[in-house]
Amino acid sequence: MLLLRRVFFLLSSPSPRAPLAEPLLLRRPPKTLAPTARQLVAMAAPAPSAGGAGTMSRDAFRAAVTNTLERRLFFVPSFKIYGGVAGLYDYGPPGCAVKANVLAFWRQHFVLEEGMLEVDCPCVTPEVVLKASGHVDKFTDLMVKDEKTGNCYRADHLLKDFCKDKLEKDHTLSQKMLEEYNRVLAILDDLSAEQLGAKIKEYGIVAPDTKNPLSDPYPFNLMFQTSIGPSGLSPGYMRPETAQGIFVNFKDLYYYNGNKLPFAAAQIGQAFRNEISPRQGLLRVREFTLAEIEHFVDPEDKSHPKFGDVSDLEFLMFPREDQMAGRSATRLKLRNAVSEGTVNNETLGYFIGRVYLFLTQLGIDKDRLRFRQHLPNEMAHYAADCWDAEIECSYGWIECVGIADRSAFDLRAHSDKSGEKLEAHEKFSEPREVEKLVITPSKKELGLAFKGNQKMVLESLEAMTETEALDMKAVLESKGEVEFKVCTLGKDVTIKKNMVSINIEKKKEHQRKFTPSVIEPSFGIGRIIYCLFEHCFYQRPGKTEDEQLNIFRFPPLVAPIKCTVFPLVKLEKFEVVAKKISKALTAAGISHIIDMTGNTIGKRYARTDEIGVPLAITVDNTTSVTVRDRDSKDQIRVEVDEVASVVKEVTDGQSTWADIMWRYPAHTTSAADEEEAEP
């Protein structure tokens, strides 16, 4: 009878990681499945939801998530007893554990599996470094001020909030205005300061707190400035990103790697940005954790030997053409996106695929993840292609990872500023006669003509492709001058024949020296974690009709605590067994807690479900115990000496819960065991 009952219960629960030899029919469905992200539409939009979450608006869902996170100390506002500081948050014990697990998986997925070189560089950065990178001059957001109070706001945020509010709440909008507001949202990041200011005036947008008029948008540098040493003569900044520490160490890293390309360096660390108006909790803060990769590659060969491993992945992509046309993201196969030129090259495509796998394995819903290509005005003039991994949450689509082909700009910039050649070389087996394009701008003539803008014009001339340079040479020889677009200036300038020399020279070379290109995936860890919190949150009914229990269905990979140990009742013999199991779990490296309080088992289950603990061990016997799954609430009986290995098998991902249920007898719970109440 037991076998027949087990076959019946195991009928339709597919196990994606089950052994192939195991028949699919012998699967046991959980009694109460956690709702899927598609069912919980309320996570991202005002719509009905399933799984006991009821009908929730976006704001109500966010409030439920945030309340649970702060009450259970995942994170709280920093310096709370002094009123807090906008944009600064403290992670509590479960939040620290989730963050540590995310970073450990990041290291496993990227640093270890890709053979990357990890570095750790200072947060305080000398001004000269950030001057070379462009951050001192250009790391800005457009800000507007309340003309009466002086309060500051990000201009694009005000326009975005206005358009979204109109689309969501104004049901009298004409079709023309619906299309207008949607178009503005689609191209928001492509608007200049003048265009932003014009839209703010056109729509009559005012300061949200006082309704006072606003100033025209102007740039505000986001870096925190400091001085290094007591004299105050050595200016510096708190780093706005971790990447520059890798670039300035390129020469040593290249040597460490045996003078071979390609190779990648990685860094995890704190970054600092003096946000104009921090909001949206962990999504926009002033101090945050970045995990960044700089993959150095030959600019003439951006193929990737492992691209085939990810080329068949298919997911939501949002090319710039679709954005400009007001279309939605569509599912594209990565192989096609690269072969058709939508994604610039294989190495960039490979990292897009790896980022997709990383996020979905963490627990991000693949249906609420898309890769959006940067619009023309978002891209630096030197960048070959840029994509953002955006995750949908209750705040909308949030940029969480940037994946950019930054060309050779960074290494060239630091080479020019420091005088240190940051180059790679390729040795030839036989000398080669090569034709080399030589672009030699005249600093003197450019300085006389463009004064303070000389450097930007010079950099743009040096960054020309061979085709662009030869076209310019032809026009200069025939007309003596040519109009040339300098992206960093945002306008055309007139280049005369005496300002630049462009020649093709023949010479024999024994090796080729070049500045490597850089493919940069940059991960905002706090943003990823917050989106993960929302994607994993759901509610199910409690013991009363109006009661809703909060659950985080974290995958074991990122769960802050892997299991709990509960003596069923306060008896010394059960406590002895609980301590024995705890010792075995510790030896196996499994994070866990023991709850020996006198609360009912239902309340203890609810309390640990609320922080996302996947498994609960109930000690109700001295020789065997029950192990309960968080989402299905199914239980099995396991011998005391085996329980640590069973938990490790599930939490390490070696087996699924369905696999384990096939091997161990089910435990039938009583009504008292199943009773749950708010913790």
Side-chain angles (χ1 to χ4, degrees), residues 429-444:
S429 55
E430 296 288 338
R432 296 181 186 177
E433 185 171 271
V434 296
E435 290 187 341
K436 293 198 71 173
L437 173 70
V438 181
I439 302 172
T440 312
S442 170
K443 291 185 179 180
K444 178 182 175 182

Side-chain angles (χ1 to χ4, degrees), residues 623-673:
T623 57
S624 67
V625 294
T626 64
V627 181
R628 171 189 179 268
D629 173 61
R630 174 195 60 217
D631 295 315
S632 67
K633 299 196 287 184
D634 279 335
Q635 298 186 32
I636 56 171
R637 183 156 290 280
V638 181
E639 296 296 313
V640 168
D641 292 337
E642 292 182 61
V643 70
S645 63
V646 168
V647 172
K648 187 171 179 62
E649 202 174 317
V650 174
T651 56
D652 283 358
Q654 300 167 26
S655 298
T656 65
W657 177 251
D659 298 332
I660 296 297
M661 288 202 69
W662 171 246
R663 288 163 34 200
Y664 290 91
H667 174 73
T668 304
T669 56
S670 67
D673 290 339

Side-chain angles (χ1 to χ4, degrees), residues 565-571 575 594-605 607 675:
V565 183
F566 303 142
L568 182 62
V569 292
K570 294 193 74 171
L571 291 176
E575 292 180 5
I594 301 182
D595 187 345
M596 294 189 181
T597 62
N599 288 327
T600 65
I601 196 68
K603 284 186 176 181
R604 283 184 278 177
Y605 284 152
R607 189 162 56 228
E675 181 186 89

Side-chain angles (χ1 to χ4, degrees), residues 51 538-542 548-549 551 609 628 630-631 633:
Y538 72 100
Q539 294 180 322
R540 65 183 172 210
Q548 293 292 325
L549 300 175
I551 320 288
D609 288 348
R628 171 189 179 268
R630 174 195 60 217
D631 295 315
K633 299 196 287 184

Side-chain angles (χ1 to χ4, degrees), residues 193-208:
E194 293 75 18
Q195 291 169 322
L196 265 176
K199 284 295 178 189
I200 286 172
K201 283 186 171 63
E202 179 187 341
Y203 295 157
I205 298 173
V206 294

Side-chain angles (χ1 to χ4, degrees), residues 304-326:
H304 198 289
K306 293 165 66 178
F307 178 68
D309 295 349
V310 299
S311 63
D312 285 332
L313 292 174
E314 185 175 282
F315 43 78
L316 285 173
M317 300 190 79
F318 204 8
R320 65 171 66 94
E321 293 79 11
D322 290 347
Q323 297 172 59
M324 300 296 285

Side-chain angles (χ1 to χ4, degrees), residues 85 102 262 353 392 425-426 429 485 504 559:
V85 178
V102 168
E392 189 186 27
H425 60 266
E426 176 192 5
S429 55
K485 184 172 181 62
I504 298 288

